[in-house]
Amino acid sequence: MIFLNILFFINLFFIVKDDYKYREVLLWQLLLLVLFSFSFVNEINIFNRLISAFSTVGIMFMLSFLIENYIVYIKSRFTDIDINNTIVIGEGDYPLFFIIGLIFEIQEILLCIFLMAIFSLIHHLIYIKLKKDEVPLIPSIAYSIIVLSIFNGIS
């Protein structure tokens, strides 16, 4: 299990690197990451963990829908942005939300989302300074997973 956990974090590192560099992540990398994330779950509560994982994906999808349709629309009234080309959460982010729901409890999921928002805000401020348009979300999700894993001692 420790070997699979190490492979999980190595794969997570390469996913973050690819998202920074290419603004996209390969599907096989995400699938491997999801498979390696099952090493964090014991056999006793696998069904509850899967329910939590799918619930987390659903909640984040609805949050993305809310942000894209209402907050971006309101922002477009005050700024000059194109609301048709605005994407808040990309397709590659959902497997990471699945992993968050799979390996963490509900309180940790909420903390992970909070940390993800803080890291995303920091990324956004850096990208404003660099005058880049698109802020990648995968690194923020990965950093929050790593921070929670370190503080919770996931093995």
Side-chain angles (χ1 to χ4, degrees):
M1 288 299 196
I2 301 263
F3 179 69
L4 291 176
N5 293 351
I6 292 170
L7 287 177
F8 173 83
F9 286 110
I10 290 171
N11 194 14
L12 188 62
F13 168 77
F14 283 110
I15 285 175
V16 168
K17 182 184 75 68
D18 287 349
D19 198 36
Y20 273 133
K21 190 172 183 178
Y22 305 114
R23 295 279 192 259
E24 64 182 40
V25 178
L26 298 174
L27 180 63
W28 67 266
Q29 287 178 309
L30 290 170
L31 289 175
L32 274 178
L33 194 68
V34 169
L35 289 176
F36 292 149
S37 68
F38 279 95
S39 67
F40 293 107
V41 181
N42 60 17
E43 298 83 24
I44 298 170
N45 63 357
I46 187 77
F47 185 70
N48 292 334
R49 293 268 148 236
L50 285 172
I51 290 173
S52 175
F54 284 114
S55 299
T56 303
V57 171
I59 289 168
M60 294 311 292
F61 178 78
M62 292 309 294
L63 184 63
S64 170
F65 178 77
L66 176 77
I67 291 171
E68 284 182 19
N69 289 321
Y70 296 105
I71 296 174
V72 172
Y73 178 75
I74 292 169
K75 184 179 177 184
S76 71
R77 293 291 185 196
F78 300 108
T79 62
D80 189 29
I81 63 169
D82 184 16
I83 60 173
N84 295 328
N85 293 329
T86 303
I87 298 172
V88 177
I89 297 177
E91 293 175 8
D93 302 327
Y94 292 109
L96 289 171
F97 294 134
F98 180 85
I99 291 168
I100 289 171
L102 188 68
I103 64 178
F104 295 122
E105 299 287 333
I106 186 68
Q107 297 89 357
E108 296 162 338
I109 292 170
L110 295 175
L111 182 60
C112 196
I113 293 170
F114 178 73
L115 287 173
M116 178 190 67
I118 291 173
F119 289 131
S120 294
L121 182 64
I122 293 169
H123 276 119
H124 187 68
L125 294 175
I126 291 171
Y127 274 59
I128 287 175
K129 283 265 193 208
L130 298 175
K131 302 204 185 303
K132 292 188 176 181
D133 294 333
E134 188 177 324
V135 180
L137 187 61
I138 287 178
S140 300
I141 301 169
Y143 298 152
S144 63
I145 290 172
I146 291 169
V147 167
L148 277 180
S149 297
I150 289 171
F151 286 114
N152 286 337
I154 291 183
S155 57

